[in-house]
Amino acid sequence: AMYGSAPAHTLEWMHTEFTTLNWHHLGIPPSEFISNPILNASGLVPLSTTIDPHGKAFVSSMESQIASIYAVQFHPERVMFDFSNDNIIHSPH
């Protein structure tokens, strides 16, 4: 599982703090993800949700049950020392 070996404190930070960079709009709400027949047939399972700037939840990470496929709807590649944009989080976590 994508988050299976993550330490408990890391999962807590991800659950309670803004630790990811989200520059997205029009994310897929969890209910639509689960009810979509194409996504349902794909074997993808939602793992996490995030709240967008308008207060709507969207699926922010998922993994496949049938292949080694993981996907995220945030920017894990953004470096924490990049100060070129105020949207980049600079939490110690």
Side-chain angles (χ1 to χ4, degrees), residues 9-22 50 74-76 78 80 87-93:
H9 63 272
T10 300
L11 295 174
E12 179 66 19
W13 294 333
M14 292 178 76
H15 182 73
T16 59
E17 299 178 23
F18 294 110
T19 57
T20 59
L21 177 60
N22 298 284
T50 302
F74 55 87
H75 290 275
R78 290 302 295 211
M80 299 309 281
N87 291 319
I88 298 172
I89 296 124
H90 295 100
S91 162
H93 301 136

Side-chain angles (χ1 to χ4, degrees), residues 43 48 59 61 71 80 90:
S48 66
V59 175
S61 66
M80 299 309 281
H90 295 100

Side-chain angles (χ1 to χ4, degrees), residues 52-74:
D52 74 12
H54 304 290
K56 295 182 180 180
F58 66 93
V59 175
S60 55
S61 66
M62 63 199 85
E63 69 182 354
S64 172
Q65 293 181 318
I66 57 176
S68 295
I69 298 171
Y70 303 91
V72 295
Q73 186 66 16
F74 55 87

Side-chain angles (χ1 to χ4, degrees), residues 29-51:
S31 59
E32 288 184 33
F33 187 101
I34 292 167
S35 66
N36 183 294
I38 295 171
L39 289 172
N40 235 335
S42 72
L44 292 172
V45 176
L47 300 177
S48 66
T49 59
T50 302
I51 306 299

